Amino acid sequence: MARTTKASNAVQRLKERSTQGVYSMVTMADGRFYLTLSAAGAAPVAVHEPLEIDAFVSFVNGLEKQVPKKASKLDIAFEKKLQHARNQDN
C-alpha cells in the first residue's frame, strides 16, 4: 500500500505542475508502474515502459519543471549558520 501511495503522490505532484494533458498511473500485476498521458479527446498513451517503484518515482519527478521549495526566513538563517559552521570546520 505505501508503495502505491509513494507512486500516486509523485503522479499527483506531476499533475499539479503539468500543462500538457492528464497524466495517469497504471499499476501492473507484477508490481511495476507506468505513466500514461491523455490529450483532449484522445486515448491515453503510455509515456514509458513499466518500471519498478523507485525508478518510476524518479522518472515522474524528472518530468516537467519542479516547483521551487518555499523557504522561510528561519530556514534561510539556519542554512547560513550550517554553511558557516561547515566553512569553519574546513
Side-chain angles (χ1 to χ4, degrees):
M1 181 67 176
R3 294 170 49 86
T4 305
T5 301
K6 181 178 178 180
S8 62
N9 285 341
V11 173
Q12 185 60 38
R13 289 189 305 272
L14 175 61
K15 287 179 181 180
E16 291 170 1
R17 65 181 186 263
S18 174
T19 59
Q20 290 188 12
V22 178
Y23 285 101
S24 298
M25 175 183 76
V26 177
T27 306
M28 299 182 63
D30 63 1
R32 295 181 300 159
F33 302 88
Y34 68 93
L35 194 65
T36 62
L37 177 61
S38 300
V45 177
V47 177
H48 60 87
E49 73 282 349
L51 300 169
E52 296 294 326
I53 182 72
D54 292 329
F56 176 79
V57 171
S58 294
F59 177 82
V60 171
N61 287 340
L63 293 174
E64 303 283 335
K65 186 176 179 181
Q66 294 281 343
V67 176
K69 293 184 179 182
K70 294 180 182 177
S72 70
K73 290 179 186 178
L74 294 175
D75 292 332
I76 294 168
F78 181 68
E79 187 63 35
K80 284 182 182 178
K81 281 188 173 187
L82 285 176
Q83 190 64 35
H84 182 71
R86 288 180 192 143
N87 290 339
Q88 286 184 343
D89 290 341
N90 292 332

